[in-house]
Amino acid sequence: MSAALAGRRLLVSAGPTFEDIDPVRYLGNRSSGKMGFAIASVAAERGAEVTLVAGPVHLATPAGVHRIDVRSAAQMFDAVMGALPCDAYIGAAAVADFTPRAFAGSKLKKVAGTDTLTLELVKTRDILAEVAAHALRPALVVGFAAETDDVATYARGKLERKRVDLVCANRVGVGATGFESDDNALLVLGPGGFERALGPAAKTELAARLLELVAERLA
Ligand code: CTP
């Protein structure tokens, strides 16, 4: 196994976040965490010192990886910021964009005569953008973009808006690739019109190819 990342510190986020509504309910999303865990696993095999901040997933910790488990977007934010500095941040987590304004300490009950429930949501902090703007900004910041339509256009917008170095876009909601699958296809975009299609392939294979791009940029 090549040691292309020997001595490099990589910080990877993976999985969904769960935003609690009351003691028995939450808002979540369909991320399995497989892509982020594959990246952490392959990076450790290639000699990197890897910290993996994981949302709620049912996946084993890859060999040699330091794992920090979190539940909510706010906890993921704190764990990621607390793990800086590093050489590269790879934000593969599907962080909730919104969280309930207030957590109800007791289970919400149905109200007789009312057929609707209004939940007020507030924006979460954008971990990726804040890592990219941080005083301890890693040399390389990589984001993910899960899109259902116009993948390249939206992903290029994300690259510029969040000031990251690479965005890995994938199409979700179609066929055998995406969130819960073992396979995926990524379109990796960078500044200056850089564009590289990876896959379709197994997520471990995609992780290996993505980490080649990361290693080249850290060299
Ligand atoms: N992300 C993050 N913190 C958030 C939201 C997203 O770090 N609170 C990161 C994800 O880890 C991923 C990328 O941002 O790397 C995905 O962004 P996404 O939520 O799809 O992008 P938005 O800019 O919020 O755009 P939109 O919701 O319009 O798709």
Side-chain angles (χ1 to χ4, degrees), residues 13 73 76 89-98 123-129 142-147 154 158 161-162:
S13 71
M76 186 170 278
Y89 172 69
I90 303 180
V95 186
D97 288 323
F98 292 93
K123 251 199 175 147
T124 57
R125 291 176 77 171
D126 191 318
I127 303 168
L128 182 66
V142 182
F144 274 70
E147 308 287 357
Y154 281 124
K158 229 158 264 187
R161 202 168 62 251
K162 300 196 185 190

Side-chain angles (χ1 to χ4, degrees), residues 77-157:
F77 181 93
D78 289 343
V80 167
M81 296 305 160
L84 295 176
C86 61
D87 296 302
Y89 172 69
I90 303 180
V95 186
D97 288 323
F98 292 93
T99 192
R101 179 180 290 284
F103 172 74
S106 331
K107 187 183 165 198
L108 295 175
K109 303 300 284 178
K110 289 185 280 296
V111 178
T114 309
D115 287 337
T116 61
L117 170 71
T118 303
L119 269 182
E120 195 177 359
L121 305 179
V122 292
K123 251 199 175 147
T124 57
R125 291 176 77 171
D126 191 318
I127 303 168
L128 182 66
E130 292 207 36
V131 166
H134 202 282
L136 296 174
R137 187 193 198 279
L140 197 70
V141 179
V142 182
F144 274 70
E147 308 287 357
T148 51
D149 314 276
D150 288 335
V151 178
T153 312
Y154 281 124
R156 198 156 278 291

Side-chain angles (χ1 to χ4, degrees), residues 14-215:
T17 65
F18 287 176
E19 310 303 317
D20 289 325
I21 297 167
D22 69 16
V24 296
R25 303 183 180 98
Y26 61 86
L27 292 171
N29 64 63
R30 292 174 55 178
S31 170
S32 66
K34 286 176 184 170
M35 191 67 232
F37 273 62
I39 292 168
S41 173
V42 175
E45 282 173 13
R46 301 207 165 165
E49 194 186 306
V50 183
T51 299
L52 173 63
V53 178
V57 293
H58 300 283
L59 293 172
T61 307
V65 167
H66 172 57
R67 173 175 180 170
I68 303 171
D69 284 310
V70 299
R71 180 171 173 84
S72 65
Q75 288 171 357
M76 186 170 278
F77 181 93
D78 289 343
V80 167
M81 296 305 160
L84 295 176
C86 61
D87 296 302
Y89 172 69
I90 303 180
V95 186
D97 288 323
F98 292 93
T99 192
R101 179 180 290 284
F103 172 74
S106 331
K107 187 183 165 198
L108 295 175
K109 303 300 284 178
K110 289 185 280 296
V111 178
T114 309
D115 287 337
T116 61
L117 170 71
T118 303
L119 269 182
E120 195 177 359
L121 305 179
V122 292
K123 251 199 175 147
T124 57
R125 291 176 77 171
D126 191 318
I127 303 168
L128 182 66
E130 292 207 36
V131 166
H134 202 282
L136 296 174
R137 187 193 198 279
L140 197 70
V141 179
V142 182
F144 274 70
E147 308 287 357
T148 51
D149 314 276
D150 288 335
V151 178
T153 312
Y154 281 124
R156 198 156 278 291
K158 229 158 264 187
L159 183 76
E160 285 155 17
R161 202 168 62 251
K162 300 196 185 190
R163 297 178 192 283
V164 299
D165 304 297
L166 291 174
V167 167
C168 308
N170 64 330
R171 175 167 283 139
V172 290
V174 283
T177 60
F179 272 166
E180 283 149 5
S181 167
D182 288 327
D183 285 10
N184 202 355
L186 296 177
L187 181 66
V188 185
L189 304 174
F194 175 84
E195 212 168 298
R196 181 80 55 87
L198 305 181
K203 286 182 177 173
T204 45
E205 178 59 32
L206 287 177
R209 293 193 209 158
L210 173 61
L211 286 167
E212 279 164 24
L213 299 178
V214 168

